[in-house]
Amino acid sequence: MTASPHVVVIGAGTLGMCTALNLVEQGARVTVLDAGSIASGSSGRSVGVVGSQLTDPFEVALRVHSLRRFRQWEGEGLRFNHIGYLRLARTSAQMALFARSVEIQREVGLRSRLVRANELRELVPHINPDGLEGGLFGPDDGFLDPHDMCNLLAGMVRAKGGEVRQYRKLLGVQRRPGGYRLETNGDPVDRERRLVDCDVVVNAGGAWAPQVAELLGQRLHIWPERHEAIVIHLDEPLAYTMPMVMDLVNGEGSGLNFRHEKPGELIAEVHKVDAIAPEDPDNYNDQCEEQSKVDLAELLLERVPDLPGARLGRGWAGLYPVTADHRPFVGPIDASQPSLITAAGAGGYGIQLAPVIGQIAADWVLQGAPVSVAGAEALAPSAERNRPGR
């Protein structure tokens, strides 16, 4: 490894751009390659939620690192809509987990509080609290536009000397002394312009990460799951800003979530509770199916029955790159190949985890270990984690 290695990052979504920025900030030469445009994959189809209302201490700790970076980027032009995040509890056991989460978050400097069932309407006046014990609310959480985020980061990477090459699909990889030669589908006439020599490759290919891994001579077990989102139009704007509302706790709940998007408009989706069949990222239905609209409408009618003139608008589908244990892969697949780093598989949490994943991936490239984040070695795609079954 040279003192200032040339690193190629495959993928210009949030994980790839965050990795690239962390690398150039530490003096690496960086080239980002993407088969499409910036944020054209899963990142661009995300609803952009950022929140720390979880019950696992390690998951909360990861988000502390991410939130620190988001605050920094807000000062550099990132628009972060701090509408708050409310996670609903259906049982007293879930409320007990939430009480512990409040303590965990307080210990690391985050704000959150318990909300009893009879207090839910103070946050969401239209909510039906039947069947609920209460919730966990983080007032500083919210959402952002993933396109804006990725393009902002791309500008930062370029300003620090990095390159972002769009519409450059990876076609082949050859080993060379001390590194790799990558062939892309760049200039159709000049073959040399299609070749990129580098010392290190970071696979941040999202739903396409298994295909990239195969070109690198590796096996990566990530399943692209199809998930849908729908715009909800209201006849008149709400008199308040609705926070993100999520009915899912550690796999239990309906999976319904919805939030404010703009005056008179919400965005809603249903996180699948059970595993679903993996999709081909090059050939899947990227539109919302009619049955999904019916299912979502029924859940909304149950939880927020009196929204003013609510009607379904446009819908779309994107892919969650999911691992067997639902935690991202960050690190080398094979310890004998430390110059091939994976940063993928964040599922539906890619936007909010991207800053810390980028930091950890950069650590692996430049330090050979995840020195910035305690416990992050557990995210490496070891043989135990990178397994074919879910």
Side-chain angles (χ1 to χ4, degrees):
M1 183 74 67
T2 60
S4 180
H6 180 201
V7 185
V8 168
V9 178
I10 308 296
T14 52
L15 271 63
M17 295 313 309
C18 286
T19 299
L21 181 59
N22 274 277
L23 287 166
V24 296
E25 287 176 337
Q26 297 178 67
R29 178 186 167 203
V30 176
T31 301
V32 180
L33 302 176
D34 197 286
S37 59
I38 294 170
S40 60
S42 297
S43 293
R45 292 181 167 271
S46 166
V47 299
V49 172
V50 176
S52 58
Q53 308 316 306
L54 298 128
T55 62
D56 181 275
F58 182 58
E59 295 289 347
V60 173
L62 290 176
R63 284 156 178 82
V64 171
H65 288 266
S66 284
L67 289 167
R68 186 181 303 126
R69 285 293 258 173
F70 283 130
R71 284 191 288 269
Q72 176 188 341
W73 295 336
E74 277 189 275
E76 300 180 45
L78 178 66
R79 182 182 177 187
F80 192 135
N81 303 277
H82 295 278
I83 62 172
Y85 189 117
L86 173 64
R87 189 178 290 271
L88 303 177
R90 292 171 174 260
T91 66
S92 57
Q94 290 175 347
M95 286 295 285
L97 288 174
F98 286 177
R100 175 58 183 144
S101 178
V102 171
E103 296 176 2
I104 293 168
Q105 293 190 68
R106 183 184 298 120
E107 290 169 0
V108 294
L110 301 179
R111 293 198 302 164
S112 64
R113 63 182 174 89
L114 287 180
V115 182
R116 301 298 172 184
N118 60 359
E119 301 170 324
L120 288 171
R121 283 184 171 153
E122 296 175 12
L123 294 171
V124 186
H126 287 91
I127 199 166
N128 173 14
D130 291 350
L132 299 176
E133 288 285 325
L136 174 65
F137 181 65
D140 301 319
D141 295 341
F143 72 96
L144 50 81
D145 185 320
H147 281 104
D148 288 349
M149 174 180 167
C150 289
N151 279 286
L152 176 71
L153 299 184
M156 293 179 182
V157 168
R158 290 173 176 135
K160 295 180 181 295
E163 289 188 78
V164 182
R165 302 184 188 179
Q166 303 176 74
Y167 303 104
R168 291 295 183 91
K169 183 177 182 179
L170 182 65
L171 300 179
V173 180
Q174 292 182 341
R175 290 299 301 258
R176 66 172 180 80
Y180 306 89
R181 170 162 288 186
L182 311 183
E183 183 171 1
T184 74
N185 65 339
D187 193 306
V189 177
D190 188 346
R191 183 173 182 271
E192 290 302 312
R193 289 175 59 85
R194 303 199 303 266
L195 302 178
V196 183
D197 289 334
C198 63
D199 303 299
V200 182
V201 178
V202 177
N203 178 3
W208 290 265
Q211 298 177 16
V212 173
E214 187 173 354
L215 291 172
L216 296 169
Q218 299 181 323
R219 291 289 301 278
L220 187 62
H221 296 291
I222 288 176
W223 296 267
E225 287 188 349
R226 181 177 174 277
H227 291 254
E228 300 161 317
I230 303 174
V231 171
I232 309 298
H233 295 290
L234 306 177
D235 280 348
E236 57 187 65
L238 299 178
Y240 62 97
T241 298
M242 183 179 287
M244 176 73 185
V245 181
M246 169 67 81
D247 181 14
L248 190 66
V249 183
N250 300 335
E252 297 179 355
S254 69
L256 173 68
N257 63 93
F258 49 92
R259 66 161 171 81
H260 165 89
E261 171 67 8
K262 61 182 67 170
E265 188 173 296
L266 309 177
I267 285 183
E269 60 177 340
V270 178
H271 278 257
K272 304 295 192 299
V273 178
D274 299 320
I276 55 180
E279 297 279 348
D280 178 356
D282 292 314
N283 183 29
Y284 76 98
N285 178 12
D286 63 1
Q287 300 302 305
C288 189
E289 297 174 350
E290 288 303 314
Q291 185 58 48
S292 298
K293 294 180 180 180
V294 172
D295 295 341
L296 187 137
E298 290 178 350
L299 290 172
L300 285 170
L301 283 170
E302 175 188 6
R303 191 52 62 202
V304 280
D306 298 320
L307 285 174
R311 61 192 185 281
L312 301 181
R314 66 183 180 89
W316 68 94
L319 299 176
Y320 287 3
V322 177
T323 66
D325 62 5
H326 296 275
R327 280 184 169 173
F329 288 151
V330 196
I333 292 176
D334 186 340
S336 68
Q337 295 180 304
S339 55
L340 296 178
I341 303 298
T342 297
Y349 295 109
I351 306 299
Q352 57 189 272
L353 289 177
V356 69
I357 288 175
Q359 182 176 337
I360 296 168
D363 279 353
W364 277 109
V365 172
L366 300 175
Q367 307 294 333
V371 296
S372 299
V373 181
E377 61 276 358
L379 298 179
S382 62
E384 181 180 356
R385 293 192 63 227
N386 184 24
R387 59 184 189 272
R390 281 187 291 175

